[in-house]
Amino acid sequence: MAPRTRRRGGMSFTVLGLCPRTGRVGYATAAEDPTAGWRVATAVAARGVVAVEAEPDPRKLALAAQLLAAGYGPTRILRDLSDDDPSLQRRQIAILNVHGRHAVLIGNEVTPSSDSVVAADHIALGHGLNSEDVLQAASKAFVASEADDLENRLLLALEAGRDVEPQRREMIASALFVHDLSGVPVVDLRVDVHDVAIAELRRMFDLYRPHLAGAPLIQVPDHKESVDVPDELAGFPRSMT
């Protein structure tokens, strides 16, 4: 779908991803907001990952993490995040669990242009986009690197989205976070303020990555989900489940 265009603003986009082979879950994000690295997304080991963008709220992320950990599905989590939220129409919310189920909401007041690309193992979402090609490029890079580790796939996706519009001012903040099944972060890197934040994140990751070599992989468990609400979410703007 083509992104909606309203007034221009800072670009921000996030890629949520999972690896069925290893059970890892994580996200990569970049923005012109220096706080984005710690307050737009979170991941729960062996459960899933969630992002709350456009108007971030760490309290929403904390609630989503609790619900993911309890085994609730994305539709139920989106419903609970949306209840009694006066800022709902100004938010982008995306939830992806380890079963490949998802829920995405883009509020009607999110400005400027906003969009999402959803697949079985990843979600790319963002706002302030000049072109839908930003998210499409991120998604294609994630898919094309299927044989790679999740953490590098997420960073490749971030780089591909950035490179669609190299003439624009570089985003100043970025982050890369991946959980393995043990509950210990495999990667937890963040750039709060830098002239070329995604390039700096790549530099940090390339220094960090050799220390991950040989780390044991844990067998993927078959987690069950709690009872979820129906997929139909009447009244939610531009939601997909």
Side-chain angles (χ1 to χ4, degrees):
M1 68 184 74
R4 294 174 298 161
T5 302
R6 296 188 183 178
R7 69 176 186 272
R8 291 179 59 84
M11 185 167 82
S12 172
F13 72 103
T14 300
V15 183
L16 312 180
L18 62 90
C19 177
R21 175 173 54 88
T22 63
R24 290 177 177 177
V25 295
Y27 64 86
T29 189
E32 293 180 17
D33 175 359
T35 69
W38 61 268
R39 68 176 191 148
V40 303
T42 191
V44 178
R47 292 300 189 184
V49 61
V50 60
V52 179
E53 285 200 0
E55 188 159 320
D57 188 339
R59 296 167 299 180
K60 295 290 183 182
L61 289 179
L63 174 58
Q66 292 173 0
L67 294 171
L68 276 170
Y72 288 103
T75 302
R76 166 64 186 273
I77 295 172
L78 181 58
R79 188 193 70 178
D80 285 3
L81 293 180
S82 303
D83 284 348
D84 301 319
D85 183 1
S87 298
L88 180 64
Q89 299 302 330
R90 298 191 295 274
R91 302 195 201 280
Q92 287 180 289
I93 301 174
I95 306 156
L96 177 68
N97 74 4
V98 293
H99 302 283
R101 298 182 61 199
H102 67 269
V104 176
L105 178 145
I106 302 178
N108 291 326
E109 297 177 20
V110 175
T111 59
S113 56
S114 57
D115 205 358
S116 64
V117 174
V118 179
D121 61 353
H122 69 280
I123 299 173
L125 73 157
H127 58 279
L129 306 174
N130 271 354
S131 167
E132 62 183 349
D133 292 341
V134 172
L135 300 183
Q136 293 291 343
S139 177
K140 289 177 180 177
F142 188 89
V143 172
S145 56
E146 182 178 5
D148 208 339
D149 294 329
L150 177 62
E151 47 270 24
N152 196 48
R153 296 178 70 193
L154 289 167
L155 187 47
L156 287 169
L158 210 62
E159 291 169 327
R162 172 203 61 191
D163 292 344
V164 168
E165 297 180 326
Q167 77 282 4
R168 292 195 59 179
R169 181 164 65 90
E170 174 70 42
M171 288 166 283
I172 64 170
S174 61
L176 176 65
F177 184 91
V178 173
H179 253 313
D180 71 7
L181 291 170
S182 71
V184 176
V186 175
V187 176
D188 185 1
L189 300 175
R190 197 175 86 202
V191 178
D192 287 336
V193 179
H194 196 281
D195 288 342
V196 284
I198 296 177
E200 176 64 8
L201 187 64
R202 166 57 72 182
R203 186 190 71 82
M204 293 168 58
F205 177 70
D206 286 347
L207 290 172
Y208 182 86
R209 192 178 191 185
H211 299 280
L212 298 176
L217 295 178
I218 304 170
Q219 184 176 0
V220 179
D222 183 19
H223 283 295
K224 302 298 183 182
E225 292 178 283
S226 298
V227 176
D228 205 353
V229 297
D231 285 344
E232 292 77 13
L233 294 172
F236 281 168
R238 297 184 60 193
S239 61
M240 297 178 289
T241 58

